[in-house]
Structures are given as structure tokens and as C-alpha cells.
Amino acid sequence: MRLFRRLSSALPALVLLSGSAAFAGDATSDIGARALASHWGYDFLADLTTDIGPRMAGSKAERDAADWAVDRLKKAGFDEVHIEKFPVTYWARGAEEADITQPRLQHLAVAALGHSVPTPAGGIEAEVVLFKSLDALIDAPDGSLKGKIAVITRKTVRAQNGQGYGPAVASRVAGPSVAAKKGALALVIRSVGTDNHRIAHTGITLYDKDAPKIPAAAISNPDADLLERMAAKGPVKLRLKLDNKSTEKVDTYTVVGELKGREHPDQVVLLSGHLDSWELGTGAIDDGAGVAIAAGAAKVIADLGQRPKRTIRVVMFGAEEIGAASDAYEAAHAKEAGKIVIAGESDFGAGKIFNAALPAGALGGGTSGRPRFTSTPQPAGAEFAKQLTAALQPLGVDMLRKPSSEGGADLEGIHEKDGVPIVDFGQDGTKYFDIHHTADDTLDKVDPAELAQNIAVWASFAWLAADSDVDFRALSAAAGSAK
Amino acid sequence: MRLFRRLSSALPALVLLSGSAAFAGDATSDIGARALASHWGYDFLADLTTDIGPRMAGSKAERDAADWAVDRLKKAGFDEVHIEKFPVTYWARGAEEADITQPRLQHLAVAALGHSVPTPAGGIEAEVVLFKSLDALIDAPDGSLKGKIAVITRKTVRAQNGQGYGPAVASRVAGPSVAAKKGALALVIRSVGTDNHRIAHTGITLYDKDAPKIPAAAISNPDADLLERMAAKGPVKLRLKLDNKSTEKVDTYTVVGELKGREHPDQVVLLSGHLDSWELGTGAIDDGAGVAIAAGAAKVIADLGQRPKRTIRVVMFGAEEIGAASDAYEAAHAKEAGKIVIAGESDFGAGKIFNAALPAGALGGGTSGRPRFTSTPQPAGAEFAKQLTAALQPLGVDMLRKPSSEGGADLEGIHEKDGVPIVDFGQDGTKYFDIHHTADDTLDKVDPAELAQNIAVWASFAWLAADSDVDFRALSAAAGSAK
């Protein structure tokens, strides 16, 4: 609550949205302050994790969550609330065990990687071969892992912006097929996570078509440490049992709600997150927070009693965790190509936003992509960037002088094929990978004041972008073609 | 390593043990500095957790650990290294599950309480009744819990000196029989722990003779939060399955090693910890650290090449966790009554020691129990207290002006029946109950520099007490009788 008070007290003087006729000089309609004072977003998240819980893509729980979200959005006054479905493969975790059996029995905390094949019923028991990285595994001679369990012990680096995830996650996504090609019976990785708890981090793995599919699992960081200490002393055997199952061609569900624009209802500002989650935790930070932020931001605007010029669309994607949402959404929406003027996704927990990145042209810097607020005459988009900067800085957010490079995973399809410009808000993810994809992903990990700051940022952006006439698509395209 | 350097650089000027003929003016034999520079204690702990792992009282692993420790002490140059055994009940955890089944299925992280009876094979499923404390449960009308599962949601308070444990642990120890007397089918408690991870804290429970024995388990803090949120909305059903087993009259093992005194081998300074551990983790902080500290401190003295006047005895108790060691040790050692001149136990992890408490008379304050270093003539014991204060303060330890009130659980028997005076070193336990009695109790939780500080404190004390002529028993008895 400390943060909440600090932000609130700083707010009356700002976010005055001086460019908006509807709100000029009207301090009571201050969007940021309204967002900070609202509990709707946190209640959304609390109820989603309490009343629904885990929401694995393709599961009945995911469908229940979608129905629940539709009801919640309708009650909140959204228009056009509906579900869009598409087929995916559902993967259900079963019993799973990992034990060191030699030199001495020790139980390990383990989680099968998402979409891993199961082990044979009796499990796999074999000597381990340890690799410090995926690169080291790639360098192992072909056939050298025959009859062995390969283990990658690479650690995940803690960083505020989450940059440690990319280099670490390759082991999880690509490791199994690399190990299989060398003859390994199974792959075990040190969890892609920065914590030191006896809790393993799951997450999707992808098999190459030309490699045998071998079982793959992650062990907790302390267990990886133990395995390394043991292996330094002599041969170590591991027993791995995974009993998961897959079902093809079930449906996943994306929930959509809109606030129709008062002047240009066909121009869409898209705010999103994903509704599905891994099933070990209750999907609080990944990505209950994101859908609560996107919907919560739009709810602040819905409650203003005045719609912006453009439509605000909230999308709660299904099946993000298995990488299925992006292409499916783009394909289903090809018919509305050109309508989405700008889009963003919140999918990095509820840590405070500390920076913002706009698409190149929208920074008001012309082709350089750098803002030039002091130049005369002002380039197209400069006034928008200036207003957004003024609204966000008091919330603790600096506008980056570099254009956004990427948005959420679910927006890649519409960004690449339809040229949708992306807005990206950088959150403090220092602790995000302590919890990501684990049983620890529960409501208590979300600070209500930090969630409210996220909603305030997104609501401020959403109003400014939706009530603007700036053609972000044209600016972005011009900046792109000028490179 | 930062702490380590800071302590080391501060040391040459102190711990000069000016009262000892053997070491006066010999800076190279500075005991504190030797302890800080030694890796023997940390290696002991690392190997114990790696090569042996969990050490449940009465298990084969506990026996293996005892044999391992005997070997380690012999190699380190201890005399009279041996095992003392006594019978206990061995309790083996089986499969365990807890699920909320209504209003919606959610899995909970659970751990049976130590020595809980199992549930029937199919489990117990019943509506829950929540209580905010053991007192509230005690106030429930008799018979009011018939057919219900009682849940105590009391939280554990975080405190540097661990004072939150005592008031919280009553739910775990006494709760099941209180609930049973009200008719409950089972008792579930919020874990006695300060963390917010999906990991439950186990620990011994004790059944009253006049109450039905009902199954008892702890759920993790986030799961207790979830249960509370759900229960605030309506009726909640819980399903609990525990499949543990007990075996009576197996042996537990206490390991002893001594450094025989050069002048008074029959006068014993006893340093201890406990070798057994709960089996969810590897017993690193509870109490691998304690035995590493006790043995590590003695090892520093063993390496001096000069024995103190009195004998230093290291005791690694078996079966502390089930409360069996204290009386058994006292009974087995009744024949040497009067020989133990002072005793201490390290059983609070490896957090830095920040205070020290001596038995009343040994503070040098006569019957007041308060030190009077400036008075003339000095009371008996004052010189010892003064030297110890001088040795410990530079290590970051203040001497308390109050006498020790209690020592480790394993020393209660000899303290109460044989009048053994107790030394107590207060450790920083701010994070101790995040980990205590969980799967998270692993080596990575121990900071090598903090462990070394503990060993330095105990080694300094052990030398001064063992090379002293002060009759702590007489001082303590006089202080006690003067009250």
C-alpha cells in the first residue's frame, strides 16, 4: 500500500490529457488516478485464481475460465463479448518421479516439460552425462549418449528485464531433440528459473521431426546442484518416470471484449494477455496478471462514461503456453487486415512497469525512431508521444528512445503478416523467473499496488492511443521502409 | 565471501586469549581466524547432504550417516569416537495428497505431520471448518466438528530470534488431539513457516492418550491463503490421503567424539547438534549445520597441536526431531553425573550468531546474573566472561546481560536432572522458518561464510571454557539457589 499512496499523491497534477477535449482540465477523470484507485483488476485476478485455478490449454478448466471471463466482461460493460476457438493438442501431466539411484538414493523435485512424451511404464534408469550448456551438448559426438540420460546444468541469469530467459530456454525447447540425436534415452535440464527452491519449472518443449522423441523433464535448482556435486565424485544413475498423456484436436478458447469507438469503431487498439496457464500453479503471474491488466485498463475507460474515438479491444488468448495462439489469431483475423492500429500484450507478471517502447514512427522522431519533442514543426506522432511520456513518467515509467522491438508472443502473427505496430511496456522481472511455470505461481506473488500501476499505465496508453488520430500503421511502415 | 573477508581482516588484533599460557601473544594460533579460514566444517556439511542426504530418525539413512560421521571424526583426530544407540519409533512418509474438491478441484501442497496416523486407504473427504488459531479451535463446542476436517490457519511471525515458532507450533503439536476431541475426522494446519512457497512444513505431532488419533497434515502458505479465500465465499470440501507407516523399537544413533583434556580429562565441555533430520529435504540447516558447527569448532582445536585442560566432547544426537534424544542421553549418562561442566547445542541453522548467553553465575555478576567487569575484586568467572566477550565481539556477537534461559532441545534432560549449565548462542533466524522442515532444506541455503562465523564463535568458546578452571556448575548452582 506504500507504493499506492506514493503514486496516488503524485497524480492530481498530471495525466491531464490536455490533448483530449473530453478530459481537458477535468482532474476527477484522471485516468491514471482512477486506475490506481480501482480494485476491479485485482479482484479479477484473485477470483480467476481462486474460483478457476490452473488453466491448461485445451483443458476443461481453460473452457471454464473462458466462460467465467465472458461473464465478467459482460458485467463490466464490454461490447461484443465472445469466445473464439481453435484446435490444439491437450497435454495432461501424470505422475512424475526422478530419483538418483546411484551412488545413493535421493529424490529430486521434477516436472515433465510440456508436451514431453512419457517414459515407459517402469521408467528409465541410466547413467547421466552432464553438460554445462546446450552448446556443449551439441558438441557431443553422435552416438556418444547411447544408453545415457543427458543432463544440461546451465543456470538462468537474473535480470530486471528478463534477458536471462532467452539464452537459457533453448535447453528446454531444443534440448530433447539434440540429445536424442546423440542417442540419449532422456533429457533432464536444470530448471529454467532463478530461484533456489525444491520446485521445478515446466514449459513447452518442441521435438524436431527428424529426431526420436525422448522424455524430457526439469529438476529444481537445488537438485541440479546436488547432481553436479555427486557427478563430480563419480558415476551417477538417475531413474525417471513420467506418465503424461496427449489428446489431439481439442479446442482452446480466446476471449474477446470491446469498447466500441465513438468515431472510428473500425479502428482497433488491441490490449491483450493470455488466459491459459501451466497447471502446476494457478497462473497468477503467468498470465492471470496480464489479462487482469488488459481488461482492468479497458474497464477504467469503460467506467469514464465517454468512449474514445477508436475501439479498444481486449483479447485474452488461449494456448499461448504451447505457442498456438499467434498464428491462429492472425489466420482467423486476416479478413480484418489493416484495422488494428496498434497492439500490446502484458505477459511478464505484475512487476512494476519501468519503461515504454513505441513503434518506430510513433516516437515522433521520423525515420530516426528517436523522439524530437523540441523540434519545429513537430513531426507526425510527436504530440501523442509527448502526451504519453507526460502521463507515464509520474507513474515511474521512462519512454525508451529506441522503438519497440517485439511485443507479446501472441502478437507475432498479426505484427509480421498484417504489419500491426506494437507497443511494449517493460516490467521489472527481477523475481519473475523465480516463479514462472512453477507450482509457486499463486496469487500471493502479486502485489496489488504493482498490479494497479500496470493498469494505470495501460489505461493511460489505451485512452491516448484510442482517442488519437495518429496513423501508427503509416508511421511505422514509413519508419520501417526508411531503414 | 564478502563477510568472510571482513571478519578475517578484523581478526588479527583479537581473540588473543590472553589468559592462556599456551597462546599468549601467539597471533598465528588465533582460534577465531583459524576457524574462519578452515573449510572443514563446510565440507562436512556438503558431504553429509550430498553423500547421505535425508536422515530420518530410525531409518537406515540415519545409521549410514552415523557410520559416515564416525569415520569423519576419526580421520579428523578425535578420541573415543563411538555410537550410542537407543530405541525409537520409526515413521515413514508415504504417498500424500490434499485436494479441494468443492467448490472446484484444486490441488494443494501438503505434508503429513510427523508421526501422524494415516488416513483410510480411500482418504477422507469432508467439509472444512476454519479456525484462526489453536485457541479458537479449543473454544469450539464439543462434538461441533463431527464429520468435518478442522483447519487451523494461524500464521507464523517472522522474527530474527525465531520467537514466532513457539506460539505457532502449538497448532502442530497439540492441534490434532484438540480437533479429535471435538469430533473432527482430520486436522489440517497452515504450515508453521514464514515462506510463501508451494512447499509444506512437516514436524512432529503428539497425540494425547485420551483422544482418538486422527490424521494430521500441513498445507503450504499459498494453499492456506487459497482455502481461506474459498471458504470466505461458501462451503469448501477437502480430500486428504496420507499413507504413512510406523515401526516401533528400531534403533537411532548418537555419534560422539572427544578431544581428551590435558589436565582434567574427566571435566567435559559438551558441544552438540543433531544428526537426524526430516526426510523432505537433506537436513542442511536442520541440523547438518549444527553438527558441522560443533564438530568444526572442535576440529579447529584438534588442529592446534595443544589440548586444553578439559575434555571437549562433540555429540551428534539421533532422533532430536521426534523429541527422543534428550531423556535417552540423560538416562544413558546418569553414571557420569557432575562431569559435564558446561554444554551447548547448535540447532538453528547457519545464520550468523549475534548474541551469546552464559549460565547465570558464569556471567561474572554473582547472584545478580549481570556482568560487573569493572568491580574490584572481580567475582569468580568474571575473567572468563571478559575473555569470551573480547573474543566474540569482533565476530559480531554481543554478550547478553541476561543469563541463558534455555539451550538446545537435546540438552534439557542433563540440564534439568544433572544441573549441567548451558551456553546459548543466538543466531539470526530471520529466514530460518522459510526452510525449516521442508524439502527446501538443502545445502544451497547455507552461506559458507556464515557457517564459518558460527564455527569461530563456538571454537573460541570451547577453547576458553575447556582451558579454564572456572567451576560453571558451582557458579550456576549458587546463582540459582540465590534467586
Side-chain angles (χ1 to χ4, degrees):
Chain A
M1 292 309 287
R2 186 180 58 78
L3 176 65
F4 187 91
R5 278 198 301 275
R6 184 156 57 84
L7 288 170
S8 299
S9 65
L11 268 164
L14 37 103
V15 201
L16 289 181
L17 305 174
S18 57
S20 157
F23 293 103
D26 182 2
T28 59
S29 57
D30 176 326
I31 288 173
R34 281 170 177 260
L36 292 177
S38 168
H39 288 195
W40 190 89
Y42 186 78
D43 291 346
F44 182 100
L45 178 61
D47 292 346
L48 175 62
T49 53
T50 304
D51 301 342
I52 305 293
R55 307 171 298 280
M56 186 69 182
S59 67
K60 175 167 182 308
E62 194 200 23
R63 172 74 212 219
D64 292 344
D67 290 340
W68 174 92
V70 163
D71 181 61
R72 188 62 61 116
L73 291 186
K74 283 183 175 171
K75 284 179 179 155
F78 284 75
D79 315 315
E80 311 274 356
V81 181
H82 65 278
I83 285 175
E84 302 176 6
K85 63 182 185 180
F86 57 94
V88 292
T89 298
Y90 169 58
W91 178 87
R93 187 179 306 277
E96 45 196 17
E97 290 172 31
D99 298 297
I100 293 171
T101 55
Q102 285 187 19
R104 184 179 181 85
L105 183 68
Q106 290 226 33
H107 302 296
L108 309 182
V110 70
L113 300 186
H115 287 205
S116 167
V117 295
T119 62
I124 291 170
E125 184 169 0
E127 199 171 311
V128 300
V129 182
L130 269 57
F131 298 91
K132 291 209 176 292
S133 66
L134 179 61
D135 283 345
L137 176 64
I138 289 169
D139 287 344
D142 284 346
S144 63
L145 298 179
K146 203 167 173 186
K148 311 285 189 180
I149 295 176
V151 180
I152 303 177
T153 61
R154 189 191 193 285
K155 292 180 182 174
T156 302
V157 173
R158 187 182 297 280
Q160 187 186 21
N161 66 359
Q163 67 179 36
Y165 186 59
V169 80
S171 304
R172 193 192 76 205
V173 176
S177 288
V178 173
K181 287 174 188 171
K182 313 287 184 183
L185 299 172
L187 175 75
V188 169
I189 63 169
R190 176 192 285 272
S191 280
V192 179
T194 46
D195 63 298
N196 67 345
H197 299 290
R198 297 289 294 285
I199 282 180
H201 296 241
T202 190
I204 195 74
T205 191
L206 301 174
Y207 292 112
D208 288 359
K209 286 200 184 73
D210 62 345
K213 292 184 177 183
I214 61 171
I219 57 175
S220 79
N221 270 308
D223 289 302
D225 294 343
L226 176 70
L227 200 55
E228 288 192 295
R229 292 198 304 272
M230 277 192 166
K233 297 183 179 200
V236 175
K237 276 195 180 180
L238 201 66
R239 183 174 54 217
L240 183 69
K241 287 175 77 171
L242 306 177
D243 186 28
N244 38 272
K245 286 187 178 60
S246 294
T247 312
E248 293 190 11
K249 294 181 184 166
V250 298
D251 281 330
T252 187
Y253 306 90
T254 287
V255 175
V256 181
E258 293 189 339
L259 305 178
K260 283 289 179 198
R262 71 174 194 275
E263 286 187 17
H264 312 297
D266 278 358
Q267 297 181 13
V268 174
V269 172
L270 189 153
L271 318 182
S272 63
H274 66 86
L275 194 55
D276 68 305
S277 79
W278 288 104
E279 81 308 1
L280 293 168
T282 61
I285 68 155
D286 189 12
D287 182 34
V291 292
I293 289 163
K299 176 66 164 62
V300 171
I301 292 170
D303 290 348
L304 292 175
Q306 163 93 39
R307 292 286 169 89
K309 293 175 183 173
R310 291 165 165 164
T311 291
I312 292 175
R313 178 185 296 170
V314 171
V315 182
M316 304 183 184
F317 291 103
E320 186 275 347
E321 291 296 0
I322 60 172
S326 173
D327 288 351
Y329 191 79
E330 189 280 325
H333 290 260
K335 59 186 180 299
E336 63 166 5
K339 285 190 177 177
I340 302 173
V341 299
I342 194 165
E345 180 167 22
S346 174
D347 184 18
F348 195 41
K352 272 188 73 182
I353 293 173
F354 69 102
N355 69 40
L358 290 173
L363 274 168
T367 55
S368 78
R370 298 182 58 174
R372 290 190 319 220
F373 297 156
T374 54
S375 65
T376 312
Q378 287 281 291
E383 183 60 24
F384 167 80
K386 206 168 164 178
Q387 286 184 14
L388 184 62
T389 300
L392 301 193
Q393 215 293 319
L395 291 168
V397 182
D398 282 337
M399 185 67 67
L400 288 181
R401 286 172 159 269
K402 291 189 296 185
S404 60
S405 54
E406 55 183 290
D410 298 316
L411 305 179
E412 282 174 11
I414 56 173
H415 175 60
E416 289 173 9
K417 294 202 178 170
D418 182 27
V420 174
I422 300 295
V423 63
D424 190 32
F425 295 113
Q427 294 174 266
D428 189 333
T430 306
K431 295 181 182 173
Y432 184 75
F433 291 109
D434 288 352
I435 297 157
H436 178 252
H437 293 186
T438 71
D440 255 355
D441 185 1
T442 49
L443 181 64
D444 53 290
K445 308 308 184 301
V446 174
D447 180 321
E450 294 189 350
L451 188 78
Q453 186 256 12
N454 275 265
I455 294 173
V457 169
W458 281 90
S460 301
F461 161 77
W463 174 267
L464 286 171
D467 206 45
S468 164
D469 292 312
V470 174
D471 186 346
F472 298 108
R473 296 181 65 97
L475 290 174
S476 182
S481 64
K483 273 188 216 163
Chain B
M1 291 309 289
R2 188 179 57 76
L3 177 65
F4 186 90
R5 276 199 303 274
R6 184 156 57 83
L7 288 171
S8 298
S9 65
L11 268 162
L14 36 106
V15 203
L16 288 181
L17 305 173
S18 58
S20 158
F23 293 102
D26 182 2
T28 60
S29 57
D30 175 327
I31 287 174
R34 282 170 176 260
L36 293 177
S38 169
H39 288 196
W40 190 90
Y42 186 78
D43 291 345
F44 182 99
L45 178 61
D47 292 345
L48 176 61
T49 53
T50 304
D51 301 342
I52 305 294
R55 308 171 296 280
M56 185 71 182
S59 67
K60 172 163 185 309
E62 193 199 24
R63 172 74 213 219
D64 292 344
D67 290 340
W68 174 92
V70 162
D71 182 60
R72 188 64 61 117
L73 292 186
K74 282 184 176 170
K75 284 179 179 155
F78 285 75
D79 314 315
E80 311 273 356
V81 181
H82 66 279
I83 286 175
E84 302 177 6
K85 64 183 183 179
F86 57 94
V88 293
T89 297
Y90 170 58
W91 178 88
R93 188 178 305 277
E96 45 196 17
E97 290 173 31
D99 298 297
I100 293 171
T101 56
Q102 284 186 23
R104 181 179 184 86
L105 183 68
Q106 289 226 35
H107 302 295
L108 308 182
V110 69
L113 300 187
H115 286 205
S116 167
V117 294
T119 61
I124 291 170
E125 184 170 0
E127 199 170 312
V128 300
V129 182
L130 269 56
F131 297 92
K132 291 209 176 292
S133 65
L134 179 61
D135 283 346
L137 177 64
I138 290 169
D139 288 344
D142 283 347
S144 63
L145 298 179
K146 204 169 173 186
K148 312 282 190 183
I149 295 176
V151 180
I152 303 177
T153 61
R154 187 191 195 288
K155 292 179 181 174
T156 302
V157 172
R158 186 183 296 281
Q160 186 186 22
N161 65 359
Q163 67 180 37
Y165 186 60
V169 79
S171 303
R172 194 192 77 205
V173 176
S177 288
V178 174
K181 287 175 189 171
K182 313 287 183 181
L185 298 172
L187 176 73
V188 169
I189 63 168
R190 176 192 286 272
S191 280
V192 179
T194 46
D195 63 299
N196 67 345
H197 298 290
R198 297 287 296 286
I199 282 180
H201 296 240
T202 190
I204 195 75
T205 192
L206 300 174
Y207 291 112
D208 288 0
K209 286 200 185 73
D210 61 345
K213 292 185 177 182
I214 61 172
I219 57 175
S220 79
N221 270 307
D223 289 303
D225 294 343
L226 176 70
L227 201 55
E228 289 191 294
R229 291 198 305 273
M230 278 193 166
K233 298 183 179 199
V236 175
K237 275 195 179 177
L238 200 66
R239 183 175 55 216
L240 184 69
K241 286 174 77 170
L242 306 178
D243 185 28
N244 38 271
K245 287 188 178 61
S246 293
T247 313
E248 293 190 11
K249 295 181 184 168
V250 298
D251 281 330
T252 186
Y253 306 90
T254 288
V255 175
V256 182
E258 293 188 340
L259 304 178
K260 283 287 178 199
R262 71 174 193 274
E263 285 187 16
H264 311 297
D266 278 357
Q267 297 181 14
V268 174
V269 173
L270 189 153
L271 316 182
S272 63
H274 66 87
L275 194 55
D276 69 306
S277 79
W278 288 103
E279 83 307 1
L280 293 169
T282 60
I285 68 157
D286 189 12
D287 184 32
V291 291
I293 290 164
K299 175 67 164 61
V300 171
I301 293 170
D303 290 347
L304 292 176
Q306 162 93 41
R307 291 286 170 87
K309 293 176 183 171
R310 290 163 166 164
T311 291
I312 294 175
R313 178 185 297 172
V314 172
V315 183
M316 305 183 184
F317 291 102
E320 186 276 346
E321 291 296 0
I322 59 173
S326 173
D327 288 351
Y329 191 80
E330 189 282 323
H333 290 261
K335 62 187 176 300
E336 62 167 5
K339 285 190 179 178
I340 302 173
V341 298
I342 192 164
E345 180 166 24
S346 174
D347 184 18
F348 195 42
K352 273 188 73 181
I353 293 172
F354 69 101
N355 69 40
L358 288 173
L363 274 167
T367 55
S368 78
R370 299 182 59 173
R372 291 190 318 220
F373 297 157
T374 55
S375 65
T376 311
Q378 287 282 290
E383 183 59 23
F384 168 79
K386 205 168 166 179
Q387 286 184 14
L388 185 62
T389 301
L392 301 193
Q393 215 292 321
L395 291 168
V397 182
D398 282 338
M399 185 67 68
L400 288 181
R401 285 171 160 270
K402 292 189 297 187
S404 60
S405 53
E406 54 184 291
D410 298 317
L411 305 179
E412 282 173 12
I414 56 173
H415 175 60
E416 289 172 10
K417 295 204 178 166
D418 183 29
V420 174
I422 301 293
V423 63
D424 190 31
F425 295 112
Q427 294 175 265
D428 188 332
T430 305
K431 295 181 182 173
Y432 184 75
F433 291 110
D434 288 351
I435 298 158
H436 178 251
H437 292 187
T438 71
D440 255 355
D441 185 0
T442 48
L443 180 65
D444 53 290
K445 308 307 183 302
V446 174
D447 180 322
E450 295 189 352
L451 186 80
Q453 187 255 13
N454 275 265
I455 294 172
V457 169
W458 281 90
S460 300
F461 161 77
W463 175 267
L464 285 171
D467 206 46
S468 164
D469 292 313
V470 174
D471 185 346
F472 299 108
R473 296 181 66 98
L475 290 174
S476 182
S481 64
K483 273 188 220 163

